[in-house]
Amino acid sequence: MANPMPARAAEQSGTATSDAIVEVRDICKRYGDIEALRGINLEFERGKLTTLLGPSGCGKTTLLKIIAGLVPATSGQIRINGKVVTGPGPERAFVFQDFALMPWATVLRNVSFGLELKGVPQAERHRIAKHYISEVGLSGFEEKYPHELSGGMRQRVGIARAFSVNADVLLLDEPFSAVDEQNRRKFQEDLLQLVEKERKTFLFVTHSIEEAVYVSDRIVLLSPRPGRVSQIIEPNIDRSAAPDVIRRDKGYLDVVEEIWQGLRQYAE
Amino acid sequence: MANPMPARAAEQSGTATSDAIVEVRDICKRYGDIEALRGINLEFERGKLTTLLGPSGCGKTTLLKIIAGLVPATSGQIRINGKVVTGPGPERAFVFQDFALMPWATVLRNVSFGLELKGVPQAERHRIAKHYISEVGLSGFEEKYPHELSGGMRQRVGIARAFSVNADVLLLDEPFSAVDEQNRRKFQEDLLQLVEKERKTFLFVTHSIEEAVYVSDRIVLLSPRPGRVSQIIEPNIDRSAAPDVIRRDKGYLDVVEEIWQGLRQYAE
Amino acid sequence: DPMRVAFGDIATVESLHLLAALERAKEKGVDVQVTFLKSEDIAAQAVVSGQADIGIGGPYALLQKVKAPIRIFLQLSKLQFYPVVNTEFYKEWKDLNGQEIAVHSRGSGTEAIMQLMADKNGIAYSNISYVPGAEVRTGALLQGNVKATIVDSSGKRILEKEAPGKFAFLPLGEVAATDEALFANTDYLSKNTKDVEILVEAILTTWREVAADPKATIALREKYKLLPDATPEMVADIDPYFAEAAATLPLNGGGEDAAKDDFDFYTVSGALEGKAADLKVEDFWDLTALNAVLAKIGTK
Amino acid sequence: MHMAATPHKVSATGGAGSGSSTIVETLAEFARRRKSFWVVLSLAILFTAWEIAGRVPISFAFPTFLETFAALIEMTLDGTLLPAYAITFQPLLIGVAVSAVLGIGLGIAMGLSDKAEWLLAPVFIVLQAAPMAALVPLVTFVYGIGLVAKTLAVIMLALPVIVLNSYKAVRHVNPSLVDMCRSFQGTRLQQIFKIIIPDATPVLFAGLRLGIAAGFIGVMLAELLITPTGIGDLITYHRSIANYAHMYAAVASIIAVSTITLAVLQYVEVRFLRPEKRRK
Amino acid sequence: MKLFGFKVPMMTSLLFWALVWEVVGRMDVIFLIPPMSAIVSAGFELVATNSWQNASLVTLRSFVVGMALAIGVGVPLGIAMGRFKIVDNIFGLWVNMFVSAPLSALVPVLMILFGLGETTVVVTVFLFAVWIIVLDARAGVMQVPPSLIEMGRCYGASSITIFSKIILLSALPEILAGIRIGLIRGVKGVVIGQILVSIIGYGELFELYSRSFDMERFWALTIILFAAAMLLSAAVELFEKRIEYYAGAR
Ligand SMILES: Nc1ncnc2c1ncn2[C@@H]1O[C@H](COP(=O)(O)OP(=O)(O)OP(=O)(O)O)[C@@H](O)[C@H]1O
Ligand SMILES: Nc1ncnc2c1ncn2[C@@H]1O[C@H](COP(=O)(O)OP(=O)(O)OP(=O)(O)O)[C@@H](O)[C@H]1O
Ligand SMILES: [Mg+2]
Ligand SMILES: [Mg+2]
């Protein structure tokens, strides 16, 4: 199957270099005999939220971890702010699907853990951590342990931790998949506010088309394994509108439908 | 908090007795000190798909299991076709959230298991099982074991098994929650076709508002614990339309929004 | 009924003559079944609990305490032990004052001997540790883990061979006490007189044969195919062992005299309570079978 | 190895009004609420059966429960039991301590390094599956009969268990926690000390507990096979002088002591190391 | 581990250790460690002797009978404990206690109850193996997914059908795992029984060889025994692997 890269996407990757904070160049990845990713070329613009969307097993997590420097690519380069990186760095922070909270540590220690590793003094890192804990709406839970929180609250701890190290790029792998539908909707709205407020670059992986369209500035569709970029879509939705207005916006619905038609063939 | 039963719901439960296949009368349920359900009164019409929707822990699963006869009610009655039942019966079949497939049995044996328990001869039950296996789109997978199937395929096996015993009422507890988003969409469309074709009564539990509105003839909203009927909504959507048309139908979107506004307060 | 014999040891070269005697008893129609057990205690326990008919060991302490009526009916061997010290540390008994020694087990003959000698020499040990198995103590001596202990004749030979001059054997006064004896429940003895007599006779005749000619054991081993898988080293050990042991074999089965000696020895050692003079032979020994056999084959 | 957790579940009971209840009902209620009821009941059944069997008697060498209990009291009061435990615990504690330090160290090394795993894991797998009892007497040849030999016997039994459990603990550390640490540029040392070891701690501790159980077996083997000291001496000595009640009392007490020790450790484990388990 | 790009199977390190042993043995450091080659050749001689064959027969017999009892009693008891609260309450204490109690201390007592010789060894094997089998069978039954049982009830299965067609099969992986660990413990039990009480079978040989400082044979016997324990558990493990998907699929 040839790599169908529509015109819109081609334009995109040609022009965005000016303000691309993350550049993905010819990334290929094999796990033994399994070819997970083939020739990925992408740019991610500063201050935007980009979503990776694609059928299960197409390599979304792999790509995100390669960008995070957690998984080495088989070939190709990742550049952050123009510099080639080969491992994790302070400009990037990862939010894990399973939260990756330390069960033996309080919320406060979990959130300040990134700073602890950097050697920030305790008073200072607690101050910063508390700020972000309140930012994600968990004030008062500082001394609780992860097992005392609900799934949604745990994920917020994970997000606060990523914020606390003040990275430019946040990488989120299906952050809401362990949260139930109704709370998820709430989260999406909260996330948009955070994006607005923190002005960071977000890379987001999800399975949900509505979620992708609702939160993203740009959506990268990946084809099934071996994952390649099959389409890049910019929803261009007016985010200043109220959530319910957005969800019945014609543009929004069109994009959802377009993506669904594209992915439908890959569903079982 | 008083039980807010809006006019529409009151009317409903007054009139539907004519063709109600399942009647729920004053059902209350306590688990020790926990009051899970309080005074539930409902009728489910023959040949319709009714969805139970409500915040997590409000007793949806409990109610469905009481109807199935798997969990005894603390007080109240369940009538099927007008007769009071106290245990499982051949008119009802349950589809489990975690599929409940026997890992040591092939797809064929799993699907025909209900018939096997009824003592149907092997040739006969295999014939029936194969019919439903093909109906859910799994032809060719008869000799596979559950661990060789994807989550979505496993759930189809569970549905085929429920169909194969030819029960009138199918009880589905979050059947798609273990299936990924995109396959879920596909499933919803397939389910509508099955409902159309099999003309059975479906009772459906879900967390997803869109899913509920998309597939249901009627939606029962439950309030948080102790679960009571808070609202009954009939989306009245034209199911003959194409899926994408339905999903951008104003009526559909209005109902989704209405339910979301109702449930939003219960999200964290 | 089979005669169940509990042997608190494994079959080695040193028990060849006993094994041969048991074979002879079998030939005479006694269905002897031997079980080899971890220790003498277990053998005694087996007799007490009725799971074995005849036990092998020196159970004086047990006889005095146990509720079951157990009696000794034949002496098999006398204590043949050699107190030994590592000459790097000690030379004579006096050097052991305030030192640590190792013996077989609590209340055993070895402890009795060491205790007796301590009393005689007016010394006291700082600590007595219990190391079951003469060969283990021998090994421990060679390894330097034990500096003063008491070993058996094969241990003595090993020590003399492996490290000549390194160890000194301390002088021992007259010690005449039972090391191993046969014992059984009185009930069993009275109900199975014939079998017991056959066994006693077989043992005494074998003992006398070996005493007359220590090399007879080699012939006996071949005749009865005993210890078929013994290694060459073990076989080589037979002759020297019996050459030395033959002289000390009790040829008349102990009896009253042995009992008296034992009372003296074991009261001193502490295994028996009370005064030696107060102890009655019939509380410990059943002489019926022995006397009957001796009447038949005469004393030596 | 398995050890079923037995949390003290007090199940709430609702519904049934507790107005006028008969003794039977009260008892049934108590049985439902309190695990200790069953403990007492099953102990009572065993002791009664023991007493009856002892009185029949099934053997002269089989004392009754009451005799045994009296012997236990006697040994406790006349001061033989405590010193015996003091002696038995010496090799046990030293052996377990050495095994813990060495075992957790080796286990962590094997968990962290493929080379160490390749080199050592098979050895310990074999040692754990092997009937070490056969080797205990050999120790005597090299290390004699003293504390060293017994400690070594304890180590021989406890070390493989602790090593293998520590190794598994490290291998089963949540990989996304390790990824998390890496993504914040944690150094390898930070990774080991801030993530891997804390995350493995509950399993390490469980391994330690199993190691202690094995250590008890080891010390008993040592005291029965090498030289009788401590409790092993009480068992062999009382057997040799036919004080069977005392011998049984010694056997029962060591089993009870080990069971209680392990139960306390398990309580500690659940109470302090597994907050998520405790809550349920 | 990988060496020069090749995957080296883990168990190969045992060969490396055998080599180290050989070298140490050749250096004649201590009489306890004769060269591996001498041990192996002693092993071949040993296997040909009558006493080894008899000992193996005796040992195997005690082991097989003891294990058969342990499985025959342990599995049903474990299942009963998993199914019935009252059985669980009554036996739970003892099972949890004995699974990690120093049973070696109990062995001297066993003889009084079970006589000399093989019976006691059989009982020792049984006691060493049975508790873990009970615990695992119990765990297996308790973690049968409730939805599977509800599914059976839904389709009108009787309790007996649910038990035989669902619970038993579903608990199979845990039951097998219990049996595997039980086998290993049983081997330990047979040796401890033979060494501590009745000196028969391998116990007798061990005692004999260690007394006569016949280290070649001693180690040969040890290696045979260790290998037997490993092979047994590997065999069950192989069988377990075949149904490993159980766990993943439910
Ligand atoms: N560590 C690994 N070893 C071998 N194969 C792997 C590994 N990780 C991922 N894969 C394979 O690579 C492919 C891509 O995996 P990845 O997890 O990136 O997919 P994904 O798009 O995140 O899937 P999902 O939507 O299910 O999360 C899959 O086919 C997977 O089987
Ligand atoms: N077996 C049980 N014992 C005690 N409490 C129970 C039991 N089953 C359910 N509950 C309680 O009853 C309430 C309703 O549970 P139920 O599972 O029916 O909710 P639900 O609506 O299905 O929730 P969810 O959306 O999370 O599936 C919950 O608060 C739950 O804690
Ligand atoms: Mg993924
Ligand atoms: Mg539910």
Side-chain angles (χ1 to χ4, degrees):
Chain A
M1 187 175 148
N3 192 337
M5 197 180 284
R8 219 175 352 160
E11 267 167 48
Q12 177 66 28
S13 67
T15 55
T17 32
S18 54
D19 201 25
I21 183 165
V22 178
E23 292 164 77
V24 176
R25 291 271 165 260
D26 296 319
I27 288 287
C28 294
K29 175 69 188 176
R30 313 187 122 266
Y31 289 108
D33 292 339
I34 298 169
E35 190 178 4
L37 293 173
R38 183 188 289 175
I40 305 283
N41 277 295
L42 282 170
E43 274 100 25
F44 299 92
E45 273 176 83
R46 197 177 303 275
K48 301 267 164 175
L49 194 156
T50 310
T51 298
L52 300 176
L53 195 65
S56 197
C58 72
K60 303 182 289 297
T61 301
T62 303
L63 181 55
L64 210 63
K65 289 205 169 160
I66 290 175
I67 296 173
L70 292 172
V71 167
T74 308
S75 68
Q77 282 186 343
I78 300 294
R79 289 196 212 152
I80 310 289
N81 287 322
K83 266 179 283 177
V84 174
V85 294
T86 51
E91 349 62 44
R92 285 154 293 156
F94 205 98
V95 175
F96 294 83
Q97 184 171 7
D98 65 352
F99 320 139
L101 301 185
M102 301 175 293
W104 60 89
T106 58
V107 167
L108 187 61
R109 172 133 192 252
N110 264 299
V111 172
S112 59
F113 188 70
L115 298 168
E116 182 182 334
L117 289 180
K118 289 198 168 55
V120 176
Q122 174 154 346
E124 168 77 358
R125 65 177 192 251
H126 281 183
R127 197 187 51 73
I128 298 175
K130 278 183 181 148
H131 168 73
Y132 287 102
I133 290 172
S134 89
E135 187 122 306
V136 297
L138 286 179
S139 299
F141 289 90
E142 286 86 353
E143 295 307 318
K144 295 264 188 257
Y145 286 85
H147 70 270
E148 299 170 298
L149 307 180
S150 72
M153 290 158 94
R154 283 184 223 177
Q155 190 55 283
R156 286 165 195 241
V157 176
I159 291 174
R161 178 174 59 194
F163 279 134
S164 72
V165 292
N166 199 24
D168 302 323
V169 182
L170 272 90
L171 307 159
L172 296 86
D173 187 12
E174 302 191 37
F176 306 145
S177 68
V179 175
D180 84 35
E181 285 268 340
Q182 290 149 41
N183 284 308
R184 193 166 171 163
R185 264 184 114 104
K186 184 97 186 301
F187 260 48
Q188 292 164 6
E189 295 171 11
D190 293 353
L191 179 70
L192 281 180
Q193 283 175 14
L194 276 175
V195 173
E196 191 72 23
K197 201 164 169 187
E198 293 286 333
R199 299 237 140 259
K200 302 207 181 277
T201 311
F202 286 78
L203 266 69
F204 195 91
V205 167
T206 183
H207 269 123
S208 164
I209 301 169
E210 276 98 348
E211 182 168 290
V213 179
Y214 184 73
V215 301
S216 319
D217 297 309
R218 203 161 63 122
I219 298 169
V220 175
L221 289 184
L222 295 179
S223 65
R225 211 177 64 203
R228 285 139 302 167
V229 177
S230 82
Q231 211 178 335
I232 294 181
I233 291 169
E234 297 198 15
N236 278 325
I237 287 162
D238 174 16
R239 303 215 182 278
S240 61
D244 60 314
V245 176
I246 296 178
R247 288 212 173 85
R248 36 175 73 222
D249 177 59
K250 172 145 183 344
Y252 168 85
L253 290 167
D254 284 343
V255 176
V256 169
E257 192 54 36
E258 180 186 352
I259 297 175
W260 173 228
Q261 291 311 333
L263 287 176
R264 203 189 158 127
Q265 52 180 312
Y266 307 130
E268 284 162 18
Chain B
M1 186 176 147
N3 191 336
M5 196 179 288
R8 217 173 355 157
E11 267 168 45
Q12 176 65 27
S13 66
T15 55
T17 30
S18 55
D19 201 24
I21 182 166
V22 178
E23 292 164 77
V24 175
R25 291 270 165 262
D26 297 319
I27 288 288
C28 294
K29 176 68 190 176
R30 312 186 123 269
Y31 290 107
D33 292 338
I34 298 169
E35 189 179 6
L37 293 172
R38 182 186 290 175
I40 304 283
N41 277 295
L42 281 171
E43 274 102 25
F44 297 92
E45 273 177 81
R46 198 179 302 277
K48 299 268 165 173
L49 194 157
T50 310
T51 297
L52 300 176
L53 195 65
S56 199
C58 72
K60 303 181 290 297
T61 301
T62 303
L63 181 55
L64 209 64
K65 288 201 172 163
I66 290 175
I67 296 173
L70 291 171
V71 166
T74 307
S75 68
Q77 282 184 343
I78 300 294
R79 289 196 212 152
I80 309 288
N81 287 320
K83 266 179 287 179
V84 174
V85 295
T86 51
E91 349 61 47
R92 284 155 293 155
F94 204 98
V95 175
F96 293 85
Q97 185 171 6
D98 64 353
F99 320 139
L101 300 186
M102 300 176 294
W104 57 88
T106 59
V107 166
L108 187 61
R109 172 131 193 255
N110 264 300
V111 172
S112 60
F113 190 68
L115 299 168
E116 183 182 333
L117 290 178
K118 289 199 168 54
V120 176
Q122 173 154 347
E124 169 78 357
R125 67 178 191 250
H126 282 183
R127 195 187 53 71
I128 298 174
K130 278 183 182 150
H131 169 72
Y132 287 103
I133 289 172
S134 88
E135 189 123 305
V136 297
L138 286 180
S139 300
F141 288 89
E142 287 86 354
E143 295 307 319
K144 296 264 187 253
Y145 287 85
H147 70 276
E148 299 171 298
L149 307 180
S150 71
M153 290 157 95
R154 286 184 218 175
Q155 190 53 287
R156 286 166 193 241
V157 176
I159 291 174
R161 178 173 58 194
F163 279 135
S164 72
V165 293
N166 200 23
D168 300 325
V169 182
L170 271 91
L171 307 158
L172 296 86
D173 187 13
E174 303 193 36
F176 306 145
S177 68
V179 174
D180 83 35
E181 286 268 340
Q182 290 150 41
N183 284 307
R184 192 165 174 167
R185 262 186 116 107
K186 184 95 187 302
F187 258 49
Q188 292 164 5
E189 296 173 9
D190 293 353
L191 179 70
L192 281 180
Q193 282 175 16
L194 277 174
V195 172
E196 190 71 23
K197 201 162 168 188
E198 293 286 334
R199 300 237 140 258
K200 303 206 180 281
T201 310
F202 285 79
L203 267 71
F204 195 92
V205 167
T206 183
H207 269 122
S208 164
I209 301 169
E210 277 97 349
E211 182 167 290
V213 179
Y214 184 73
V215 300
S216 319
D217 296 310
R218 205 161 62 122
I219 298 170
V220 176
L221 288 185
L222 296 178
S223 64
R225 211 175 65 202
R228 287 140 301 167
V229 177
S230 83
Q231 208 178 339
I232 295 183
I233 292 169
E234 298 199 15
N236 278 325
I237 287 162
D238 175 16
R239 305 223 178 275
S240 62
D244 59 312
V245 177
I246 297 178
R247 288 211 173 86
R248 38 176 72 221
D249 176 62
K250 173 150 185 341
Y252 167 87
L253 290 167
D254 284 344
V255 176
V256 169
E257 192 53 37
E258 178 185 353
I259 297 176
W260 172 231
Q261 291 311 332
L263 288 177
R264 209 196 149 118
Q265 53 181 310
Y266 307 131
E268 282 163 21
Chain C
D1 279 12
M3 173 188 275
R4 296 167 301 166
V5 177
F7 190 19
D9 202 348
I10 56 166
T12 58
V13 164
E14 290 160 36
S15 43
L16 258 183
H17 55 325
L18 180 62
L19 297 176
L22 294 175
E23 290 298 324
R24 286 188 165 167
K26 271 190 213 165
E27 281 179 349
K28 298 255 168 64
V30 183
D31 182 11
V32 182
Q33 288 182 357
V34 190
T35 309
F36 298 96
L37 295 164
K38 170 68 184 166
S39 69
E40 277 182 21
D41 307 336
I42 300 185
Q45 187 187 324
V47 174
V48 172
S49 62
Q51 286 163 347
D53 301 316
I54 293 176
I56 299 174
Y60 273 99
L62 179 114
L63 288 178
Q64 202 174 37
K65 296 235 169 76
V66 79
K67 281 168 272 175
I70 307 281
R71 294 291 180 270
I72 296 172
F73 63 92
L74 183 71
Q75 185 187 50
L76 290 181
S77 62
K78 289 188 224 153
L79 285 175
Q80 284 303 321
F81 283 107
Y82 305 89
V84 59
V85 291
N86 188 327
T87 49
E88 278 175 45
F89 302 94
Y90 317 119
K91 300 271 184 294
E92 49 176 326
W93 281 111
K94 292 265 180 274
D95 298 339
L96 290 179
N97 196 15
Q99 302 300 316
E100 182 175 354
I101 59 156
V103 302
H104 178 69
S105 70
R106 188 135 50 128
S108 66
T110 54
E111 182 175 22
I113 292 175
M114 294 307 273
Q115 209 61 64
L116 207 62
M117 294 314 291
D119 291 350
K120 269 194 191 167
N121 290 287
I123 57 172
Y125 309 117
S126 68
N127 186 26
I128 298 179
S129 50
Y130 301 106
V131 185
E135 69 289 339
V136 178
R137 295 195 297 279
T138 310
L141 267 177
L142 285 170
Q143 293 283 330
N145 290 314
V146 165
K147 296 184 198 109
T149 184
I150 177 165
V151 299
D152 61 1
S153 62
S154 65
K156 180 172 179 243
R157 267 179 292 116
I158 290 177
L159 291 177
E160 282 166 346
K161 199 175 100 205
E162 297 278 326
K166 192 176 172 207
F167 301 103
F169 297 91
L170 300 179
L172 200 58
E174 240 342 77
V175 175
T178 303
D179 180 20
E180 284 186 331
L182 292 186
F183 54 92
N185 208 300
T186 47
D187 211 31
Y188 181 82
L189 289 177
S190 60
K191 285 202 183 118
N192 300 277
T193 351
K194 229 185 100 239
D195 286 357
V196 174
E197 279 172 16
I198 293 172
L199 178 69
V200 170
E201 186 181 338
I203 290 174
L204 285 183
T205 49
T206 312
W207 262 222
R208 288 172 188 191
E209 217 173 284
V210 172
D213 173 18
K215 288 210 189 313
T217 42
I218 298 176
L220 285 171
R221 171 173 178 255
E222 272 153 26
K223 182 173 175 203
Y224 295 111
K225 303 203 165 42
L226 301 168
L227 304 178
D229 291 319
T231 56
E233 301 92 72
M234 289 164 71
V235 175
D237 218 25
I238 300 177
D239 194 35
Y241 175 79
F242 281 101
E244 203 170 318
T248 62
L249 287 176
L251 302 181
N252 294 316
E256 200 157 338
D257 299 340
K260 289 269 162 55
D261 287 344
D262 289 344
F263 292 163
D264 290 338
F265 179 75
Y266 283 111
T267 44
V268 172
S269 78
L272 281 175
E273 284 165 15
K275 287 206 196 86
D278 299 343
L279 298 173
K280 295 195 198 71
V281 176
E282 59 267 29
D283 286 342
F284 295 88
W285 277 71
D286 182 333
L287 296 167
T288 340
L290 181 61
N291 288 340
V293 172
L294 285 179
K296 188 174 154 200
I297 63 168
T299 53
K300 262 205 172 179
Chain D
M1 232 183 242
H2 288 242
M3 176 100 187
T6 49
H8 200 91
K9 261 190 207 142
V10 181
S11 61
T13 52
S18 53
S20 61
S21 51
T22 64
I23 296 174
V24 183
E25 270 171 22
T26 328
L27 210 63
E29 175 68 17
F30 182 68
R32 204 156 23 139
R33 279 178 181 269
R34 290 250 156 221
K35 196 140 186 161
S36 54
F37 169 84
W38 294 101
V39 172
V40 171
L41 184 74
S42 60
L43 281 174
I45 292 175
L46 179 88
F47 291 155
T48 316
W50 180 350
E51 183 69 25
I52 292 170
R55 291 206 182 193
V56 168
I58 57 171
S59 149
F60 275 113
F62 189 73
T64 65
F65 167 67
L66 289 177
E67 280 166 8
T68 310
F69 191 68
L72 184 66
I73 300 283
E74 184 199 317
M75 288 199 295
T76 316
L77 294 183
D78 72 5
T80 49
L81 203 61
L82 270 180
Y85 271 109
I87 293 171
T88 299
F89 274 171
Q90 271 175 39
L92 183 65
L93 290 182
I94 301 175
V96 165
V98 171
S99 305
V101 172
L102 206 64
I104 292 180
L106 281 177
I108 291 178
M110 280 158 58
L112 293 177
S113 143
D114 282 353
K115 290 203 178 61
E117 180 197 21
W118 176 82
L119 197 61
L120 295 174
V123 176
F124 285 105
I125 290 173
V126 170
L127 289 185
Q128 199 199 16
M132 293 299 261
L135 296 186
V136 169
L138 277 195
V139 174
T140 339
F141 293 146
V142 197
Y143 295 98
I145 42 148
L147 190 59
V148 182
K150 290 193 179 116
T151 308
L152 214 67
V154 172
I155 294 175
M156 276 165 62
L157 272 101
L159 186 65
V161 179
I162 297 180
V163 167
L164 289 181
N165 274 284
S166 314
Y167 156 69
K168 273 186 217 144
V170 172
R171 289 272 149 162
H172 290 172
V173 160
N174 185 349
S176 70
L177 279 183
V178 176
D179 270 354
M180 184 273 286
C181 184
R182 284 176 56 212
S183 81
F184 288 118
Q185 304 100 54
T187 61
R188 181 73 173 150
L189 275 185
Q190 281 177 324
Q191 215 180 81
I192 292 172
F193 286 100
K194 290 195 184 259
I195 298 289
I196 294 179
I197 291 179
D199 200 36
T201 298
V203 187
L204 288 179
F205 194 85
L208 202 59
R209 182 162 50 79
L210 295 174
I212 290 174
F216 265 100
I217 296 176
V219 80
M220 283 326 291
L221 278 177
E223 292 194 339
L224 292 174
L225 282 174
I226 300 179
T227 58
T229 49
I231 297 301
D233 177 52
L234 287 183
I235 295 174
T236 35
Y237 174 65
H238 286 296
R239 178 169 63 197
S240 75
I241 59 166
N243 266 342
Y244 295 121
H246 292 72
M247 169 192 165
Y248 273 61
V251 170
S253 82
I254 184 75
I255 290 180
V257 165
S258 92
T259 306
I260 291 168
T261 310
L262 296 177
V264 168
L265 285 174
Q266 190 165 24
Y267 175 79
V268 170
E269 182 184 326
V270 172
R271 181 80 181 72
F272 298 103
L273 293 175
R274 305 250 185 180
E276 69 276 12
K277 265 197 180 171
R278 186 195 334 148
R279 215 165 66 109
K280 285 191 231 166
Chain E
M1 192 187 74
K2 280 194 173 172
L3 211 62
F4 312 118
F6 286 102
K7 213 165 145 26
V8 188
M10 197 154 88
M11 283 296 165
T12 49
S13 69
L14 290 178
L15 291 176
F16 165 80
W17 287 111
L19 207 72
V20 171
W21 186 308
E22 176 73 24
V23 172
V24 173
R26 296 252 167 145
M27 288 180 352
D28 219 2
V29 180
I30 180 173
F31 74 101
L32 271 187
I33 304 184
M36 194 43 109
S37 48
I39 294 173
V40 172
S41 68
F44 282 111
E45 281 167 33
L46 178 68
V47 175
T49 61
N50 243 330
S51 56
W52 180 81
Q53 286 160 7
N54 288 339
S56 300
L57 207 67
V58 169
T59 308
L60 202 63
R61 195 165 51 207
S62 310
F63 179 73
V64 169
V65 176
M67 279 313 299
L69 279 175
I71 294 171
V73 172
V75 172
L77 179 60
I79 289 173
M81 284 172 67
R83 289 298 286 160
F84 307 110
K85 192 92 193 95
I86 183 151
V87 183
D88 195 26
N89 279 326
I90 291 176
F91 290 98
L93 173 70
W94 302 109
V95 174
N96 278 308
M97 178 167 150
F98 280 116
V99 78
S100 52
L103 288 173
S104 32
L106 202 64
V107 172
V109 170
L110 294 179
M111 203 198 74
I112 294 169
L113 300 169
F114 299 101
L116 308 166
E118 275 186 68
T119 325
T120 303
V121 180
V122 166
V123 173
T124 314
V125 172
F126 172 81
L127 279 184
F128 270 69
V130 73
W131 312 110
I132 191 69
I133 296 179
V134 171
L135 271 187
D136 276 13
R138 172 180 177 273
V141 168
M142 301 210 15
Q143 68 194 49
V144 175
S147 67
L148 265 187
I149 296 173
E150 284 180 343
M151 185 274 290
R153 283 177 55 207
C154 234
Y155 293 113
S158 63
S159 334
I160 294 169
T161 318
I162 288 184
F163 181 74
S164 63
K165 289 202 169 176
I166 293 177
I167 293 175
L168 269 191
L169 286 167
S170 192
L172 200 59
E174 280 81 10
I175 292 177
L176 275 180
I179 289 177
R180 177 169 52 83
I181 304 173
L183 281 171
I184 289 176
R185 290 191 168 201
V187 174
K188 296 181 180 182
V190 84
V191 171
I192 288 180
Q194 287 184 349
I195 286 187
L196 279 185
V197 186
S198 319
I199 307 287
I200 52 172
Y202 281 11
E204 180 184 2
L205 295 184
F206 272 125
E207 188 86 20
L208 198 65
Y209 298 149
S210 70
R211 270 198 205 182
S212 52
F213 303 99
D214 189 347
M215 284 304 130
E216 282 91 357
R217 288 184 181 214
F218 183 96
W219 283 116
L221 192 64
T222 312
I223 290 171
I224 290 173
L225 204 59
F226 282 19
M230 295 301 295
L231 281 181
L232 264 177
S233 99
V236 182
E237 205 164 350
L238 205 70
F239 191 64
E240 267 180 75
K241 282 243 170 70
R242 289 183 48 190
I243 56 166
E244 206 173 49
Y245 59 82
Y246 266 48
R250 66 187 186 198

